[in-house]
Amino acid sequence: MGTAEGMNSDMKARFVPVSTQDDVERLLAASSDHPVVLFKHDHACSISVRAYWDLSSVPGEISLIDVERDHGLSQAVATRLGVRHESPQVIVIRDGQAVYSACHWNIESQAVTRAASADHSGTAFQSDSSTG
């Protein structure tokens, strides 16, 4: 999976770049074993930079799509998961399905941590994607 440009060495281990459709397929497959947190990030956007630093406190690995570089992939993921494309945006995926999505100022590490750790079997999709 590519390199994470513009991120310090402390963050590289936590944010794992996703840059190909094969990477996305691996994430969707992995989501049947454990929840996957996917962050669509644009390092040129101040809201996205704030969300990036806030998400750095979420336990575990965060998959990252560089929206500026891989806009088409970001759009394809939104379509595949049935969520409206936003940037920045965080999506929690379980069993190949989006179970949580938030964008812009609504991206909060505590909500993402809860969504990734809660048992969502049989629960409806949650979204905090209103503009804020």
Side-chain angles (χ1 to χ4, degrees), residues 4-124:
E5 296 174 358
M7 298 172 199
N8 70 35
S9 60
D10 292 335
M11 294 299 152
K12 284 185 181 179
R14 298 191 36 71
F15 289 89
V16 178
V18 174
S19 57
T20 69
Q21 188 61 43
D22 286 342
D23 293 342
V24 171
E25 295 303 323
R26 280 191 287 276
L27 287 177
L28 295 175
S31 74
S32 63
D33 296 327
H34 57 82
V36 170
V37 178
L38 176 64
F39 180 46
K40 299 191 313 180
H41 176 54
D42 181 348
H43 66 274
C45 170
S46 62
I47 298 170
S48 193
V49 170
R50 185 222 41 98
Y52 175 89
W53 288 110
D54 190 47
L55 290 174
S56 69
S57 67
V58 172
E61 198 171 87
I62 299 174
S63 301
L64 185 144
I65 295 177
D66 181 334
V67 175
E68 184 177 7
R69 186 178 58 221
D70 297 312
H71 186 75
L73 184 63
S74 180
Q75 289 275 19
V77 166
T79 300
R80 174 88 181 260
L81 293 174
V83 297
R84 180 178 169 181
H85 176 338
E86 300 283 352
S87 175
Q89 182 176 37
V90 64
I91 304 168
V92 177
I93 307 164
R94 288 179 186 271
D95 297 320
Q97 303 291 314
V99 295
Y100 176 85
S101 175
C103 66
H104 305 107
W105 295 108
N106 293 313
I107 297 173
E108 297 178 351
S109 61
Q110 291 177 342
V112 173
T113 300
R114 279 192 307 273
S117 62
D119 177 14
H120 284 278
S121 56
T123 59

